[in-house]
mmCIF file of all heavy atoms in Angstrom:
data_model
loop_
_atom_site.group_PDB
_atom_site.id
_atom_site.type_symbol
_atom_site.label_atom_id
_atom_site.label_comp_id
_atom_site.label_asym_id
_atom_site.label_seq_id
_atom_site.Cartn_x
_atom_site.Cartn_y
_atom_site.Cartn_z
ATOM 1 N N LEU V 1 -27.241 13.581 -6.144
ATOM 2 C CA LEU V 1 -28.289 13.451 -5.130
ATOM 3 C C LEU V 1 -28.154 12.157 -4.341
ATOM 4 O O LEU V 1 -28.241 12.123 -3.111
ATOM 5 C CB LEU V 1 -29.665 13.483 -5.780
ATOM 6 C CG LEU V 1 -30.175 14.834 -6.256
ATOM 7 C CD1 LEU V 1 -31.373 14.663 -7.173
ATOM 8 C CD2 LEU V 1 -30.543 15.711 -5.075
ATOM 9 N N SER V 2 -27.920 11.056 -5.046
ATOM 10 C CA SER V 2 -28.039 9.754 -4.397
ATOM 11 C C SER V 2 -26.697 9.059 -4.166
ATOM 12 O O SER V 2 -26.620 8.066 -3.446
ATOM 13 C CB SER V 2 -28.889 8.812 -5.269
ATOM 14 O OG SER V 2 -28.224 8.558 -6.495
ATOM 15 N N ASN V 3 -25.644 9.588 -4.820
ATOM 16 C CA ASN V 3 -24.333 8.949 -4.730
ATOM 17 C C ASN V 3 -24.410 7.494 -5.195
ATOM 18 O O ASN V 3 -23.697 6.610 -4.708
ATOM 19 C CB ASN V 3 -23.786 8.989 -3.296
ATOM 20 C CG ASN V 3 -22.256 8.865 -3.276
ATOM 21 O OD1 ASN V 3 -21.598 9.237 -4.235
ATOM 22 N ND2 ASN V 3 -21.721 8.339 -2.201
ATOM 23 N N ALA V 4 -25.318 7.233 -6.180
ATOM 24 C CA ALA V 4 -25.548 5.859 -6.621
ATOM 25 C C ALA V 4 -24.691 5.459 -7.821
ATOM 26 O O ALA V 4 -24.670 4.310 -8.239
ATOM 27 C CB ALA V 4 -27.022 5.677 -7.007
ATOM 28 N N LYS V 5 -23.974 6.450 -8.403
ATOM 29 C CA LYS V 5 -23.065 6.180 -9.518
ATOM 30 C C LYS V 5 -23.760 5.587 -10.727
ATOM 31 O O LYS V 5 -23.337 4.568 -11.279
ATOM 32 C CB LYS V 5 -21.900 5.264 -9.088
ATOM 33 C CG LYS V 5 -21.126 5.771 -7.872
ATOM 34 C CD LYS V 5 -20.624 7.198 -8.085
ATOM 35 C CE LYS V 5 -19.927 7.758 -6.839
ATOM 36 N NZ LYS V 5 -19.899 9.207 -6.824
ATOM 37 N N ALA V 6 -24.865 6.197 -11.149
ATOM 38 C CA ALA V 6 -25.484 5.787 -12.394
ATOM 39 C C ALA V 6 -24.581 6.203 -13.544
ATOM 40 O O ALA V 6 -23.826 7.178 -13.433
ATOM 41 C CB ALA V 6 -26.853 6.466 -12.544
ATOM 42 N N GLN V 7 -24.635 5.481 -14.659
ATOM 43 C CA GLN V 7 -23.797 5.800 -15.796
ATOM 44 C C GLN V 7 -24.231 7.137 -16.387
ATOM 45 O O GLN V 7 -25.403 7.359 -16.660
ATOM 46 C CB GLN V 7 -23.889 4.704 -16.870
ATOM 47 C CG GLN V 7 -22.938 4.957 -18.028
ATOM 48 C CD GLN V 7 -23.104 3.957 -19.164
ATOM 49 O OE1 GLN V 7 -24.067 3.180 -19.163
ATOM 50 N NE2 GLN V 7 -22.223 3.985 -20.131
ATOM 51 N N ALA V 8 -23.269 8.041 -16.592
ATOM 52 C CA ALA V 8 -23.544 9.310 -17.233
ATOM 53 C C ALA V 8 -22.542 9.446 -18.376
ATOM 54 O O ALA V 8 -21.340 9.352 -18.161
ATOM 55 C CB ALA V 8 -23.364 10.464 -16.235
ATOM 56 N N ALA V 9 -23.034 9.640 -19.604
ATOM 57 C CA ALA V 9 -22.133 9.695 -20.743
ATOM 58 C C ALA V 9 -22.705 10.627 -21.806
ATOM 59 O O ALA V 9 -23.884 10.994 -21.786
ATOM 60 C CB ALA V 9 -21.948 8.297 -21.317
ATOM 61 N N ASN V 10 -21.822 10.993 -22.760
ATOM 62 C CA ASN V 10 -22.168 11.957 -23.787
ATOM 63 C C ASN V 10 -22.814 11.302 -24.996
ATOM 64 O O ASN V 10 -22.328 11.384 -26.120
ATOM 65 C CB ASN V 10 -20.901 12.729 -24.196
ATOM 66 C CG ASN V 10 -21.217 13.847 -25.176
ATOM 67 O OD1 ASN V 10 -22.325 14.303 -25.245
ATOM 68 N ND2 ASN V 10 -20.223 14.252 -25.951
ATOM 69 N N PHE V 11 -23.937 10.592 -24.772
ATOM 70 C CA PHE V 11 -24.721 10.035 -25.875
ATOM 71 C C PHE V 11 -26.157 9.824 -25.425
ATOM 72 O O PHE V 11 -26.399 9.582 -24.233
ATOM 73 C CB PHE V 11 -24.117 8.739 -26.431
ATOM 74 C CG PHE V 11 -23.947 7.642 -25.411
ATOM 75 C CD1 PHE V 11 -24.994 6.785 -25.104
ATOM 76 C CD2 PHE V 11 -22.733 7.476 -24.751
ATOM 77 C CE1 PHE V 11 -24.830 5.768 -24.164
ATOM 78 C CE2 PHE V 11 -22.575 6.460 -23.819
ATOM 79 C CZ PHE V 11 -23.618 5.597 -23.520
ATOM 80 N N PRO V 12 -27.127 9.946 -26.361
ATOM 81 C CA PRO V 12 -28.532 9.784 -25.970
ATOM 82 C C PRO V 12 -28.826 8.367 -25.474
ATOM 83 O O PRO V 12 -28.207 7.402 -25.906
ATOM 84 C CB PRO V 12 -29.291 10.054 -27.282
ATOM 85 C CG PRO V 12 -28.338 10.844 -28.108
ATOM 86 C CD PRO V 12 -26.979 10.340 -27.744
ATOM 87 N N PHE V 13 -29.825 8.273 -24.572
ATOM 88 C CA PHE V 13 -30.271 7.002 -24.000
ATOM 89 C C PHE V 13 -29.175 6.265 -23.265
ATOM 90 O O PHE V 13 -29.111 5.035 -23.287
ATOM 91 C CB PHE V 13 -30.922 6.107 -25.077
ATOM 92 C CG PHE V 13 -32.063 6.778 -25.770
ATOM 93 C CD1 PHE V 13 -32.040 6.984 -27.129
ATOM 94 C CD2 PHE V 13 -33.156 7.237 -25.044
ATOM 95 C CE1 PHE V 13 -33.095 7.631 -27.773
ATOM 96 C CE2 PHE V 13 -34.206 7.895 -25.680
ATOM 97 C CZ PHE V 13 -34.166 8.083 -27.037
ATOM 98 N N CYS V 14 -28.279 7.016 -22.639
ATOM 99 C CA CYS V 14 -27.286 6.405 -21.742
ATOM 100 C C CYS V 14 -28.001 5.642 -20.633
ATOM 101 O O CYS V 14 -27.586 4.583 -20.220
ATOM 102 C CB CYS V 14 -26.386 7.491 -21.176
ATOM 103 S SG CYS V 14 -25.250 6.932 -19.922
ATOM 104 N N THR V 15 -29.132 6.226 -20.169
ATOM 105 C CA THR V 15 -29.992 5.562 -19.179
ATOM 106 C C THR V 15 -31.145 4.889 -19.915
ATOM 107 O O THR V 15 -31.847 5.535 -20.680
ATOM 108 C CB THR V 15 -30.555 6.578 -18.162
ATOM 109 O OG1 THR V 15 -29.483 7.227 -17.505
ATOM 110 C CG2 THR V 15 -31.428 5.874 -17.132
ATOM 111 N N ILE V 16 -31.346 3.592 -19.711
ATOM 112 C CA ILE V 16 -32.457 2.882 -20.303
ATOM 113 C C ILE V 16 -33.393 2.412 -19.186
ATOM 114 O O ILE V 16 -34.540 2.848 -19.087
ATOM 115 C CB ILE V 16 -31.983 1.702 -21.181
ATOM 116 C CG1 ILE V 16 -31.148 2.253 -22.359
ATOM 117 C CG2 ILE V 16 -33.173 0.905 -21.699
ATOM 118 C CD1 ILE V 16 -30.576 1.186 -23.264
ATOM 119 N N GLU V 17 -32.914 1.517 -18.339
ATOM 120 C CA GLU V 17 -33.691 1.135 -17.175
ATOM 121 C C GLU V 17 -33.552 2.246 -16.127
ATOM 122 O O GLU V 17 -32.438 2.761 -15.910
ATOM 123 C CB GLU V 17 -33.172 -0.190 -16.590
ATOM 124 C CG GLU V 17 -33.459 -1.394 -17.475
ATOM 125 C CD GLU V 17 -34.951 -1.609 -17.702
ATOM 126 O OE1 GLU V 17 -35.729 -1.363 -16.761
ATOM 127 O OE2 GLU V 17 -35.325 -2.025 -18.803
ATOM 128 N N PRO V 18 -34.628 2.661 -15.476
ATOM 129 C CA PRO V 18 -34.515 3.752 -14.495
ATOM 130 C C PRO V 18 -33.632 3.362 -13.312
ATOM 131 O O PRO V 18 -33.718 2.266 -12.787
ATOM 132 C CB PRO V 18 -35.965 3.974 -14.059
ATOM 133 C CG PRO V 18 -36.685 2.719 -14.389
ATOM 134 C CD PRO V 18 -36.001 2.148 -15.591
ATOM 135 N N ASN V 19 -32.752 4.298 -12.938
ATOM 136 C CA ASN V 19 -31.944 4.126 -11.734
ATOM 137 C C ASN V 19 -32.718 4.676 -10.556
ATOM 138 O O ASN V 19 -33.411 5.691 -10.670
ATOM 139 C CB ASN V 19 -30.609 4.893 -11.887
ATOM 140 C CG ASN V 19 -29.789 4.397 -13.040
ATOM 141 O OD1 ASN V 19 -29.442 3.219 -13.099
ATOM 142 N ND2 ASN V 19 -29.475 5.256 -13.988
ATOM 143 N N VAL V 20 -32.629 4.021 -9.416
ATOM 144 C CA VAL V 20 -33.377 4.434 -8.218
ATOM 145 C C VAL V 20 -32.421 4.611 -7.060
ATOM 146 O O VAL V 20 -31.564 3.775 -6.812
ATOM 147 C CB VAL V 20 -34.471 3.397 -7.853
ATOM 148 C CG1 VAL V 20 -35.242 3.872 -6.623
ATOM 149 C CG2 VAL V 20 -35.421 3.150 -9.012
ATOM 150 N N GLY V 21 -32.565 5.737 -6.351
ATOM 151 C CA GLY V 21 -31.758 5.965 -5.155
ATOM 152 C C GLY V 21 -32.616 6.564 -4.055
ATOM 153 O O GLY V 21 -33.565 7.321 -4.324
ATOM 154 N N VAL V 22 -32.346 6.217 -2.811
ATOM 155 C CA VAL V 22 -33.079 6.777 -1.663
ATOM 156 C C VAL V 22 -32.151 7.723 -0.933
ATOM 157 O O VAL V 22 -31.039 7.331 -0.558
ATOM 158 C CB VAL V 22 -33.572 5.660 -0.708
ATOM 159 C CG1 VAL V 22 -34.272 6.285 0.475
ATOM 160 C CG2 VAL V 22 -34.520 4.719 -1.433
ATOM 161 N N ILE V 23 -32.575 8.960 -0.758
ATOM 162 C CA ILE V 23 -31.726 9.976 -0.114
ATOM 163 C C ILE V 23 -32.438 10.549 1.121
ATOM 164 O O ILE V 23 -33.665 10.549 1.207
ATOM 165 C CB ILE V 23 -31.367 11.117 -1.075
ATOM 166 C CG1 ILE V 23 -32.637 11.866 -1.541
ATOM 167 C CG2 ILE V 23 -30.603 10.589 -2.294
ATOM 168 C CD1 ILE V 23 -32.358 13.136 -2.279
ATOM 169 N N THR V 24 -31.638 11.018 2.068
ATOM 170 C CA THR V 24 -32.198 11.675 3.240
ATOM 171 C C THR V 24 -32.316 13.170 2.942
ATOM 172 O O THR V 24 -31.515 13.742 2.215
ATOM 173 C CB THR V 24 -31.320 11.463 4.493
ATOM 174 O OG1 THR V 24 -30.006 11.952 4.215
ATOM 175 C CG2 THR V 24 -31.256 10.002 4.849
ATOM 176 N N VAL V 25 -33.335 13.796 3.520
ATOM 177 C CA VAL V 25 -33.575 15.215 3.299
ATOM 178 C C VAL V 25 -32.840 16.026 4.374
ATOM 179 O O VAL V 25 -33.143 15.869 5.568
ATOM 180 C CB VAL V 25 -35.079 15.535 3.346
ATOM 181 C CG1 VAL V 25 -35.331 17.033 3.142
ATOM 182 C CG2 VAL V 25 -35.816 14.712 2.305
ATOM 183 N N PRO V 26 -31.911 16.915 3.997
ATOM 184 C CA PRO V 26 -31.221 17.758 4.988
ATOM 185 C C PRO V 26 -32.211 18.664 5.693
ATOM 186 O O PRO V 26 -33.046 19.305 5.029
ATOM 187 C CB PRO V 26 -30.238 18.576 4.136
ATOM 188 C CG PRO V 26 -30.144 17.881 2.829
ATOM 189 C CD PRO V 26 -31.451 17.204 2.621
ATOM 190 N N ASP V 27 -32.165 18.706 7.020
ATOM 191 C CA ASP V 27 -33.099 19.544 7.764
ATOM 192 C C ASP V 27 -32.458 19.970 9.087
ATOM 193 O O ASP V 27 -32.349 19.167 10.022
ATOM 194 C CB ASP V 27 -34.391 18.757 8.029
ATOM 195 C CG ASP V 27 -35.521 19.656 8.550
ATOM 196 O OD1 ASP V 27 -35.218 20.760 9.034
ATOM 197 O OD2 ASP V 27 -36.678 19.241 8.459
ATOM 198 N N ASP V 28 -32.037 21.215 9.165
ATOM 199 C CA ASP V 28 -31.400 21.745 10.378
ATOM 200 C C ASP V 28 -32.329 21.705 11.577
ATOM 201 O O ASP V 28 -31.886 21.580 12.725
ATOM 202 C CB ASP V 28 -30.925 23.190 10.151
ATOM 203 C CG ASP V 28 -29.759 23.260 9.178
ATOM 204 O OD1 ASP V 28 -29.053 22.246 9.036
ATOM 205 O OD2 ASP V 28 -29.558 24.341 8.569
ATOM 206 N N ARG V 29 -33.632 21.783 11.336
ATOM 207 C CA ARG V 29 -34.599 21.759 12.443
ATOM 208 C C ARG V 29 -34.551 20.429 13.170
ATOM 209 O O ARG V 29 -34.703 20.353 14.396
ATOM 210 C CB ARG V 29 -36.011 22.005 11.908
ATOM 211 C CG ARG V 29 -36.224 23.381 11.285
ATOM 212 C CD ARG V 29 -37.554 23.466 10.585
ATOM 213 N NE ARG V 29 -37.666 22.459 9.531
ATOM 214 C CZ ARG V 29 -38.772 22.233 8.838
ATOM 215 N NH1 ARG V 29 -39.864 22.950 9.074
ATOM 216 N NH2 ARG V 29 -38.809 21.302 7.895
ATOM 217 N N LEU V 30 -34.346 19.364 12.419
ATOM 218 C CA LEU V 30 -34.269 18.021 12.998
ATOM 219 C C LEU V 30 -33.085 17.919 13.948
ATOM 220 O O LEU V 30 -33.179 17.325 15.034
ATOM 221 C CB LEU V 30 -34.167 16.967 11.890
ATOM 222 C CG LEU V 30 -34.305 15.506 12.300
ATOM 223 C CD1 LEU V 30 -35.697 15.235 12.860
ATOM 224 C CD2 LEU V 30 -34.053 14.592 11.109
ATOM 225 N N ILE V 31 -31.969 18.489 13.540
ATOM 226 C CA ILE V 31 -30.774 18.465 14.379
ATOM 227 C C ILE V 31 -31.006 19.239 15.673
ATOM 228 O O ILE V 31 -30.638 18.782 16.766
ATOM 229 C CB ILE V 31 -29.572 19.080 13.607
ATOM 230 C CG1 ILE V 31 -29.257 18.216 12.379
ATOM 231 C CG2 ILE V 31 -28.341 19.192 14.502
ATOM 232 C CD1 ILE V 31 -28.274 18.861 11.419
ATOM 233 N N LYS V 32 -31.652 20.404 15.574
ATOM 234 C CA LYS V 32 -31.927 21.227 16.748
ATOM 235 C C LYS V 32 -32.887 20.526 17.715
ATOM 236 O O LYS V 32 -32.712 20.551 18.930
ATOM 237 C CB LYS V 32 -32.492 22.581 16.344
ATOM 238 C CG LYS V 32 -31.453 23.462 15.640
ATOM 239 C CD LYS V 32 -32.070 24.724 15.095
ATOM 240 C CE LYS V 32 -31.035 25.554 14.367
ATOM 241 N NZ LYS V 32 -31.634 26.753 13.714
ATOM 242 N N LEU V 33 -33.903 19.855 17.138
ATOM 243 C CA LEU V 33 -34.860 19.116 17.981
ATOM 244 C C LEU V 33 -34.172 17.940 18.676
ATOM 245 O O LEU V 33 -34.474 17.638 19.840
ATOM 246 C CB LEU V 33 -36.020 18.613 17.118
ATOM 247 C CG LEU V 33 -37.036 19.659 16.646
ATOM 248 C CD1 LEU V 33 -37.976 19.052 15.612
ATOM 249 C CD2 LEU V 33 -37.817 20.215 17.814
ATOM 250 N N ALA V 34 -33.264 17.287 17.961
ATOM 251 C CA ALA V 34 -32.538 16.168 18.553
ATOM 252 C C ALA V 34 -31.647 16.621 19.704
ATOM 253 O O ALA V 34 -31.518 15.930 20.723
ATOM 254 C CB ALA V 34 -31.711 15.470 17.480
ATOM 255 N N ASP V 35 -31.075 17.818 19.565
ATOM 256 C CA ASP V 35 -30.221 18.369 20.635
ATOM 257 C C ASP V 35 -31.053 18.659 21.892
ATOM 258 O O ASP V 35 -30.572 18.520 23.026
ATOM 259 C CB ASP V 35 -29.559 19.678 20.156
ATOM 260 C CG ASP V 35 -28.463 19.416 19.149
ATOM 261 O OD1 ASP V 35 -27.964 18.266 19.100
ATOM 262 O OD2 ASP V 35 -28.096 20.344 18.399
ATOM 263 N N ILE V 36 -32.313 19.038 21.689
ATOM 264 C CA ILE V 36 -33.178 19.364 22.831
ATOM 265 C C ILE V 36 -33.718 18.083 23.488
ATOM 266 O O ILE V 36 -33.672 17.931 24.706
ATOM 267 C CB ILE V 36 -34.350 20.242 22.365
ATOM 268 C CG1 ILE V 36 -33.850 21.604 21.889
ATOM 269 C CG2 ILE V 36 -35.382 20.420 23.490
ATOM 270 C CD1 ILE V 36 -34.888 22.433 21.146
ATOM 271 N N ASP V 37 -34.203 17.158 22.650
ATOM 272 C CA ASP V 37 -34.932 15.992 23.170
ATOM 273 C C ASP V 37 -34.042 14.786 23.464
ATOM 274 O O ASP V 37 -34.438 13.895 24.241
ATOM 275 C CB ASP V 37 -36.009 15.591 22.155
ATOM 276 C CG ASP V 37 -37.082 14.707 22.769
ATOM 277 O OD1 ASP V 37 -37.590 15.059 23.846
ATOM 278 O OD2 ASP V 37 -37.375 13.647 22.179
ATOM 279 N N LYS V 38 -32.858 14.754 22.839
ATOM 280 C CA LYS V 38 -31.893 13.651 23.038
ATOM 281 C C LYS V 38 -32.524 12.255 22.789
ATOM 282 O O LYS V 38 -32.508 11.395 23.660
ATOM 283 C CB LYS V 38 -31.325 13.701 24.459
ATOM 284 C CG LYS V 38 -30.591 14.997 24.824
ATOM 285 C CD LYS V 38 -29.309 15.172 24.068
ATOM 286 C CE LYS V 38 -28.489 16.347 24.573
ATOM 287 N NZ LYS V 38 -29.108 17.663 24.411
ATOM 288 N N PRO V 39 -33.095 12.039 21.620
ATOM 289 C CA PRO V 39 -33.711 10.738 21.330
ATOM 290 C C PRO V 39 -32.641 9.659 21.123
ATOM 291 O O PRO V 39 -31.468 9.962 20.831
ATOM 292 C CB PRO V 39 -34.482 10.975 20.035
ATOM 293 C CG PRO V 39 -33.690 12.047 19.348
ATOM 294 C CD PRO V 39 -33.170 12.932 20.454
ATOM 295 N N GLU V 40 -33.030 8.388 21.270
ATOM 296 C CA GLU V 40 -32.081 7.300 21.034
ATOM 297 C C GLU V 40 -31.723 7.209 19.556
ATOM 298 O O GLU V 40 -30.610 6.814 19.209
ATOM 299 C CB GLU V 40 -32.681 5.963 21.497
ATOM 300 C CG GLU V 40 -32.819 5.841 23.004
ATOM 301 C CD GLU V 40 -33.345 4.477 23.416
ATOM 302 O OE1 GLU V 40 -33.405 3.573 22.566
ATOM 303 O OE2 GLU V 40 -33.710 4.342 24.601
ATOM 304 N N LYS V 41 -32.645 7.541 18.691
ATOM 305 C CA LYS V 41 -32.399 7.455 17.272
ATOM 306 C C LYS V 41 -33.077 8.612 16.546
ATOM 307 O O LYS V 41 -34.177 9.015 16.905
ATOM 308 C CB LYS V 41 -32.959 6.124 16.723
ATOM 309 C CG LYS V 41 -32.675 5.886 15.248
ATOM 310 C CD LYS V 41 -33.343 4.620 14.734
ATOM 311 C CE LYS V 41 -32.678 3.377 15.278
ATOM 312 N NZ LYS V 41 -33.246 2.147 14.654
ATOM 313 N N VAL V 42 -32.380 9.176 15.542
ATOM 314 C CA VAL V 42 -32.936 10.241 14.704
ATOM 315 C C VAL V 42 -33.167 9.663 13.305
ATOM 316 O O VAL V 42 -32.234 9.174 12.688
ATOM 317 C CB VAL V 42 -31.986 11.457 14.644
ATOM 318 C CG1 VAL V 42 -32.551 12.500 13.677
ATOM 319 C CG2 VAL V 42 -31.771 12.056 16.011
ATOM 320 N N ILE V 43 -34.417 9.713 12.854
ATOM 321 C CA ILE V 43 -34.742 9.162 11.538
ATOM 322 C C ILE V 43 -35.199 10.312 10.616
ATOM 323 O O ILE V 43 -36.307 10.823 10.768
ATOM 324 C CB ILE V 43 -35.852 8.095 11.629
ATOM 325 C CG1 ILE V 43 -35.424 6.985 12.583
ATOM 326 C CG2 ILE V 43 -36.178 7.524 10.243
ATOM 327 C CD1 ILE V 43 -36.511 5.944 12.848
ATOM 328 N N PRO V 44 -34.324 10.734 9.692
ATOM 329 C CA PRO V 44 -34.704 11.822 8.800
ATOM 330 C C PRO V 44 -35.715 11.386 7.743
ATOM 331 O O PRO V 44 -35.870 10.207 7.473
ATOM 332 C CB PRO V 44 -33.374 12.220 8.149
ATOM 333 C CG PRO V 44 -32.586 10.967 8.166
ATOM 334 C CD PRO V 44 -32.983 10.228 9.426
ATOM 335 N N THR V 45 -36.379 12.360 7.159
ATOM 336 C CA THR V 45 -37.270 12.107 6.031
ATOM 337 C C THR V 45 -36.435 11.633 4.842
ATOM 338 O O THR V 45 -35.310 12.096 4.634
ATOM 339 C CB THR V 45 -38.030 13.389 5.638
ATOM 340 O OG1 THR V 45 -38.834 13.785 6.741
ATOM 341 C CG2 THR V 45 -38.917 13.180 4.413
ATOM 342 N N THR V 46 -36.993 10.716 4.059
ATOM 343 C CA THR V 46 -36.283 10.275 2.845
ATOM 344 C C THR V 46 -37.119 10.554 1.594
ATOM 345 O O THR V 46 -38.328 10.686 1.660
ATOM 346 C CB THR V 46 -35.994 8.758 2.899
ATOM 347 O OG1 THR V 46 -37.233 8.038 2.985
ATOM 348 C CG2 THR V 46 -35.104 8.395 4.076
ATOM 349 N N VAL V 47 -36.407 10.665 0.497
ATOM 350 C CA VAL V 47 -37.043 10.836 -0.813
ATOM 351 C C VAL V 47 -36.439 9.808 -1.754
ATOM 352 O O VAL V 47 -35.234 9.596 -1.759
ATOM 353 C CB VAL V 47 -36.802 12.254 -1.379
ATOM 354 C CG1 VAL V 47 -37.360 12.378 -2.790
ATOM 355 C CG2 VAL V 47 -37.402 13.309 -0.485
ATOM 356 N N GLU V 48 -37.301 9.165 -2.532
ATOM 357 C CA GLU V 48 -36.820 8.213 -3.531
ATOM 358 C C GLU V 48 -36.678 8.953 -4.852
ATOM 359 O O GLU V 48 -37.636 9.554 -5.351
ATOM 360 C CB GLU V 48 -37.808 7.053 -3.661
ATOM 361 C CG GLU V 48 -37.256 5.864 -4.423
ATOM 362 C CD GLU V 48 -38.173 4.654 -4.367
ATOM 363 O OE1 GLU V 48 -38.113 3.915 -3.378
ATOM 364 O OE2 GLU V 48 -38.984 4.488 -5.304
#
């Protein structure tokens, strides 16, 4: 999801401190609206 490269391994409690990543939400509607309105900047919704 985040391309954050958290450690993933074959043993319990590989993760202790929570890893946090911010990702953009894919939305084809946003692309279509941008094509129509031609804004200077497109800012997608993000999820943490």
Side-chain angles (χ1 to χ4, degrees):
L1 285 166
S2 66
N3 204 28
K5 306 306 176 202
Q7 185 186 9
N10 185 22
F11 57 85
F13 303 120
C14 173
T15 302
I16 297 178
E17 291 299 325
N19 299 302
V20 181
V22 178
I23 62 170
T24 57
V25 179
D27 192 341
D28 290 337
R29 296 170 302 173
L30 190 63
I31 296 169
K32 290 174 182 175
L33 287 170
D35 287 340
I36 295 168
D37 198 49
K38 301 291 189 297
E40 291 183 11
K41 184 185 289 186
V42 176
I43 303 174
T45 298
T46 60
V47 176
E48 193 172 276

